[in-house]
Amino acid sequence: MPAGDAFTPDQLYDIERAVRYAEDTSGLHFSVYVGGADSETRPFALELFNELDDPDSTVLVYVDPAGRRLEIVTGSLAKRQLTDTAAGLAALTMQTSFATGDLTGGLVTGVQQLGTHAHQPPLLHASDEQHKL
Amino acid sequence: MIPQLSGHSLLVFVGIPLLVVAVLALLVFASSIADGPRYRPGLSWWAPPVWINGPTATKPDPANLPELPELTGAPGATVTTGTAATGVARTTGGASASW
C-alpha cells in the first residue's frame, strides 16, 4: 500500500462492496467520505452532500478520523426509508468500531446496517381494491 | 576457567536462537507491516481524503474559468456577488456521533 493512504486496496474493496450491498438492498444511493473537515463537521458534511449527483435519494456517511466525528446525512427522499432512529443505531455501531481503531470494519458494518434498515420489502398486494371484511 | 567458544558453537548457541527470534518477530509483525499505518483514535490523521461513490461530474475549478466581461450597469447600480445562490437549502435527516 502506498504510504499515506487511508485504506489498502482490500479494505477499499470491502467498503465498496458494502456500499453496493446497501444500494442494492435499499434502492438508495450511498456515499462514504473519510477525511478532515475544513469547518464544523455537520456543515461540512452538508456541503459534501450538496455536491452529490442526486442528494435527495442519497445517504452520506462522513467520517472525520482526526476530529473523531461521524455524520450520517440522509436526503429528503432517503429519510422516508431511513429514519433518524435507524441512522442513529448504525452510527452507534460505527462509533464502537471506530473507537477501537477499526475504520474499515466500522464502515462496512455500518453501511450494511444502513442498507438493511432502509430496505423496503416488495409489495405483495399491488391491487388497489379494498379488502372487504 | 572460561571455555573457548568456537565458530561452530557460536553459530549453534547464538546464531540459531537469534534466527528463531527474528522469524517469530517477522511473523508477529507481518500483518501490521502489510496493512501499513493503522488508525489510532486521538492521534493525528495522516491520509488524504477518500470519497467512495462521490459525485461523478467534476465541477470546474473557478481559477481556470475564462474571465467574464466586466458588467456595466446604470449609474448607482450595484452588482452583488457571492455564494448565496449556490447554497441549496435541503431537508435532510441523519445522525451524528463522536468517539
Side-chain angles (χ1 to χ4, degrees):
Chain A
M1 129 182 176
D5 282 359
F7 302 105
T8 63
D10 286 345
Q11 290 171 333
L12 272 179
Y13 175 76
D14 288 342
I15 298 170
E16 284 168 356
R17 198 172 55 175
V19 167
R20 278 199 303 273
Y21 166 80
E23 289 187 337
D24 293 343
T25 307
S26 65
L28 299 171
H29 299 295
F30 279 78
S31 186
V32 176
Y33 186 96
V34 181
D38 296 336
S39 56
E40 292 290 315
T41 48
R42 189 71 186 180
F44 185 71
L46 288 172
E47 277 180 34
L48 296 173
F49 183 75
N50 286 326
E51 288 182 31
L52 292 166
D53 296 335
D54 184 15
D56 290 335
S57 306
T58 299
V59 179
L60 171 70
V61 178
Y62 169 72
V63 182
D64 179 4
R68 290 187 278 174
R69 292 281 303 172
L70 162 72
E71 300 286 347
I72 299 173
V73 185
T74 53
S76 57
L77 297 175
K79 74 175 188 176
R80 294 181 190 168
Q81 288 178 237
L82 188 67
T83 62
D84 291 353
T85 309
L89 285 173
L92 273 176
T93 304
M94 288 191 254
Q95 180 190 33
T96 308
S97 295
F98 294 160
T100 61
D102 187 7
L103 275 185
T104 309
L107 282 172
V108 168
T109 314
V111 169
Q112 284 176 343
Q113 194 174 338
L114 287 170
T116 307
H117 280 306
H119 171 64
Q120 284 195 323
L123 285 175
L124 297 178
H125 304 287
S127 172
D128 289 337
E129 279 187 26
Q130 290 187 350
H131 296 281
K132 294 178 181 175
L133 295 175
Chain B
M1 179 180 172
I2 300 171
Q4 292 281 330
L5 288 176
S6 64
H8 184 261
S9 301
L10 273 175
L11 189 70
V12 170
F13 294 111
V14 178
I16 292 177
L18 279 179
L19 186 68
V20 170
V21 168
V23 169
L24 286 176
L26 191 66
L27 287 173
V28 168
F29 293 112
S31 63
S32 60
I33 291 170
D35 290 344
R38 188 171 184 269
Y39 169 61
R40 298 188 188 282
L43 299 181
S44 62
W45 180 244
W46 66 91
V50 177
W51 200 342
I52 297 163
N53 231 7
T56 51
T58 55
K59 295 187 175 178
D61 186 1
N64 296 331
L65 290 176
E67 285 193 21
L68 295 173
E70 194 174 340
L71 292 173
T72 54
T78 57
V79 178
T80 306
T81 59
T83 56
T86 59
V88 181
R90 296 181 190 280
T91 311
T92 57
S96 304
S98 59
W99 63 93

